Amino acid sequence: MKTNVKVFLLVHRYLGFALSLLFAIWFLSVFAMMYVRYPIMRQHEKLQHLPPVDLQACKLNLNEVLTVAGVNDTLIGG
């Protein structure tokens, strides 16, 4: 019984020390998040990494798409 209490206290002490260090680092990281800007990817950078569109794989032409979508307030091709 006495050994169990000693082991528990020892584990509690070192686990508390390790977790308090982790918590302190986590708390201090807030300052970095407040004052360092988050990296932003601009629209042209996003488009550079996209694969080219395969227009041969399209099943509908633009007029059919507009009809299916219910758009009828624009003139396409005429």
Side-chain angles (χ1 to χ4, degrees):
M1 179 76 173
K2 228 178 195 185
T3 309
N4 290 341
V5 172
K6 285 184 181 182
V7 169
F8 177 75
L9 290 175
L10 189 65
V11 168
H12 183 265
R13 177 187 301 157
Y14 289 113
L15 191 61
F17 179 74
L19 291 177
S20 65
L21 283 178
L22 181 68
F23 180 73
I25 292 169
W26 175 65
F27 178 75
L28 292 174
S29 71
V30 170
F31 292 109
M33 293 178 71
M34 285 191 317
Y35 297 112
V36 176
R37 292 184 65 128
Y38 193 76
I40 297 172
M41 183 178 283
R42 301 202 179 353
Q43 187 66 23
H44 71 277
E45 294 171 334
K46 292 178 188 176
L47 293 175
Q48 285 176 346
H49 299 290
L50 290 176
V53 177
D54 182 17
L55 296 177
Q56 300 299 324
C58 294
K59 305 233 185 295
L60 301 173
N61 64 27
L62 185 57
N63 287 329
E64 293 171 339
V65 169
L66 291 174
T67 303
V68 170
V71 177
N72 55 8
D73 62 346
T74 184
L75 294 175
I76 301 294

